[in-house]
C-alpha cells in the first residue's frame, strides 16, 4: 500500500520532501505510542484485543526481543511479522525510554526513504517513460542483481570453506593496489573515458536532481547520524573494543583518502564549486563503503543466514547506488568510485580484524 501511494505521488509530481517528513513523523509517533503502552501497562497488554485472541504474537515478539535486544527495534522497523509487535514488547520488557526513542528516531530516518522512495521513483519514471535511457535501466538492473545475488554467494562460500581472515585482506589489498597502480600509469584513463561517454545519455535534469539527493547518503551529516546510532549500539552492547577500532579506522580511512588524492592529483570530470579538485579516489564512496560495510559485518555476525543476507544486500546496494550517483553528477570517474569502494572495504576489514565474521 505504501509503494502504491508513493507511486501515485511520484506520477502526480507531488514533492517528495513533505511525504518523507510525514512518513518519518508517523513512524516515530506510531512506534512511540506502542512502546509507551507496553512500558506503562506491562502484562495488562495481554488482556487487550487482539492479543487476548492471539497470545502467540506477543510470545513471538518476546522471543525475538530476547534474541536481538536493542537491535530488534531496528530489525522490527523493516521486517515483518514482528514489525507491529516489537515496540510494545520493548516497553513491556522494560527497555529504557531514552534508549528506545534514540533507536526509534534513527531507524525512522532510514525507514521512510526505504519504504517510500522506490514507489515514488517508479511513479516518476512512469511519467518520464519515454525519457528514461537504456543505460539507466541497465545500471539499475545490474545494481539490483549484484546486491541481491552476491551477498548470499559470499556468505555461503565463507560458511563452507571457512577461509582465514588474512585472505580477505590480501584479496582486497591486491585489488586496491592494482587500481592505484593502473591509475598512476594511465591504464584507467581509457576505462574512465568509455564509462563517461556511455553514461552521457543519463545526464538528464530530472535524474541529476534525483541523484543529488541520493549522493547525500555519503555526506558527512548523514553518515554521522548513521555512525552515531551504530556507535551508540556498540556502547550499549558493551563492545567498546569494536567501537574504538571503528573510530580509529575511520580516522585512518579519511587520512588515506586525502593522501592518495594528493599523490594522484587527478582532476574531476567537471570542476564543481565547493568541492576539492582531486578526483581519485572518491571520498564520498570510500566513507559510505567504510561505514555501511563495517556495520553490516557487525550486525550479521552470528546471525541467521537470512539476516546476514539482508544486512549485506542493503549495505552493498546503498554503496553502489551512491557510487552511481557520483558518476551521474559527473564529479568522479568510474575508477574513482571503484577504488573508493575497495578502500572503504579495506579499512572496514582492518578495523574488524578481531571480530567474528562467520
Amino acid at each position: 500500500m505504501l509503494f502504491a501511494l508513493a507511486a501515485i505521488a511520484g506520477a502526480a509530481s507531488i514533492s517528495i520532501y513533505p511525504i518523507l517528513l510525514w512518513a518519518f513523523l508517523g513512524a516515530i509517533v506510531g512506534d512511540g505510542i506502542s512502546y509507551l503502552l507496553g512500558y506503562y501497562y506491562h502484562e495488562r497488554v495481554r488482556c487487550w484485543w487482539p492479543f487476548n485472541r492471539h497470545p502467540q504474537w506477543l510470545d513471538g515478539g518476546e522471543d525475538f526481543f530476547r534474541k536481538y535486544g536493542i537491535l530488534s527495534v531496528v530489525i522490527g522497523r523493516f521486517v515483518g511479522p514482528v514489525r507491529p509487535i516489537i515496540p510494545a514488547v520493548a516497553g513491556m520488557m522494560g527497555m529504557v525510554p531514552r534508549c528506545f526513542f534514540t533507536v526509534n528516531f534513527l531507524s525512522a530516518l532510514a525507514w521512510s526513504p526505504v519504504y517510500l522512495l522506490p514507489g515514488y521513483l517508479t511513479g516518476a519514471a512512469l511519467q518520464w517513460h519515454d525519457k528514461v535511457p537504456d543505460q539507466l535501466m541497465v545500471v539499475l538492473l545490474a545494481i539490483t542483481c549484484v546486491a541481491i545475488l552476491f551477498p548470499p554467494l559470499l556468505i555461503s562460500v565463507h560458511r563452507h570453506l571457512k577461509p582465514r581472515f588474512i585472505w580477505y585482506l590480501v584479496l582486497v589489498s591486491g585489488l586496491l593496489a592494482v587500481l592505484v597502480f593502473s591509475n598512476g600509469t594511465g591504464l584507467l584513463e581509457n576505462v574512465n573515458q568509455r564509462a563517461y561517454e556511455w553514461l552521457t545519455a543519463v545526464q538528464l535534469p530530472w535524474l541529476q536532481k534525483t541523484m543529488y539527493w541520493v549522493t547525500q547518503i555519503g555526506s558527512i551529516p548523514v553518515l554521522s547520524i548513521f555512525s552515531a546510532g551504530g556507535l551508540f549500539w556498540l556502547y550499549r552492547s558493551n563492545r567498546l573494543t569494536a567501537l574504538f577500532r571503528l573510530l580509529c579506522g575511520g580516522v585512518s580511512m579519511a587520512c588515506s583518502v586525502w593522501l592518495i588524492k594528493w599523490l594522484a592529483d587527478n582532476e574531476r570530470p567537471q570542476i564543481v564549486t565547493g568541492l576539492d579538485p582531486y578526483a581519485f579516489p572518491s571520498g564520498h564512496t570510500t566513507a559510505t563503503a567504510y561505514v555501511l560495510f563495517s556495520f553490516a559485518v557487525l550486525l550479521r555476525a552470528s546471525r541467521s543466514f537470512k539476516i546476514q543476507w539482508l544486512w549485506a544486500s542493503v549495505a552493498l546496494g546503498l554503496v553502489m547506488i551512491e557510487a552511481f550517483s557520483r558518476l551521474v553528477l559527473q564529479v568522479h570517474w568510474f575508477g574513482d568510485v571503484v577504488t573508493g569502494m575497495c578502500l572503504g572495504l579495506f579499512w572496514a576489514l582492518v578495523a574488524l580484524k578481531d571480530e567474528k565474521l562467520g
Side-chain angles (χ1 to χ4, degrees), residues 163-174 349 353 357:
R164 295 176 61 186
F165 173 84
I166 189 64
W167 292 115
Y168 291 114
L169 201 55
V170 168
L171 179 62
V172 176
S173 301
L349 290 173
K353 63 184 180 67
L357 300 181

Side-chain angles (χ1 to χ4, degrees), residues 53 85 94 110 132 144 153 198 205 242 252 305 322 327 330 350 358:
R53 295 187 179 182
I85 305 298
V132 177
T144 302
L153 176 62
W198 189 75
S252 302
F305 180 83
E322 190 280 333
L327 300 178
Q330 296 182 320
V350 171

Side-chain angles (χ1 to χ4, degrees), residues 208-338:
Q208 288 191 319
K209 183 178 180 181
T210 301
M211 288 296 109
Y212 171 79
W213 290 106
V214 170
T215 203
Q216 300 307 311
I217 295 173
S219 65
I220 292 178
V222 173
L223 288 181
S224 297
I225 292 174
F226 187 87
S227 299
L231 294 175
F232 177 76
W233 165 62
L234 290 175
Y235 174 77
R236 294 287 300 179
S237 303
N238 201 32
R239 300 172 68 177
L240 301 183
T241 301
L243 189 156
F244 178 74
R245 286 184 175 275
L246 284 180
L247 290 176
C248 292
V251 174
S252 302
M253 177 271 298
C255 292
S256 68
V257 168
W258 282 106
L259 178 61
I260 298 175
K261 279 178 176 283
W262 178 71
L263 292 174
D265 194 23
N266 287 13
E267 293 185 354
R268 297 178 183 272
Q270 291 186 2
I271 302 300
V272 180
T273 303
L275 294 181
D276 63 86
Y278 305 114
F280 183 88
S282 168
H284 259 64
T285 306
T286 303
T288 304
Y290 175 73
V291 172
L292 295 184
F293 287 157
S294 295
F295 285 111
V297 170
L298 289 169
L299 290 170
R300 61 169 282 274
S302 302
R303 309 293 182 184
S304 67
F305 180 83
K306 291 182 179 180
I307 295 298
Q308 293 185 26
W309 185 352
L310 172 66
W311 290 120
S313 292
V314 170
L316 182 58
L318 288 176
V319 171
M320 288 193 295
I321 196 67
E322 190 280 333
F324 177 59
S325 72
R326 307 303 285 174
L327 300 178
V328 173
L329 295 174
Q330 296 182 320
V331 293
H332 281 294
W333 303 100
F334 178 77
D336 302 342
V337 298
V338 174

Side-chain angles (χ1 to χ4, degrees), residues 113-135:
V114 166
Y115 268 79
L116 294 176
L117 276 182
Y120 186 88
L121 293 177
T122 300
L126 292 175
Q127 185 184 19
W128 292 85
H129 68 280
D130 58 337
K131 299 181 181 180
V132 177
D134 294 338
Q135 288 88 333

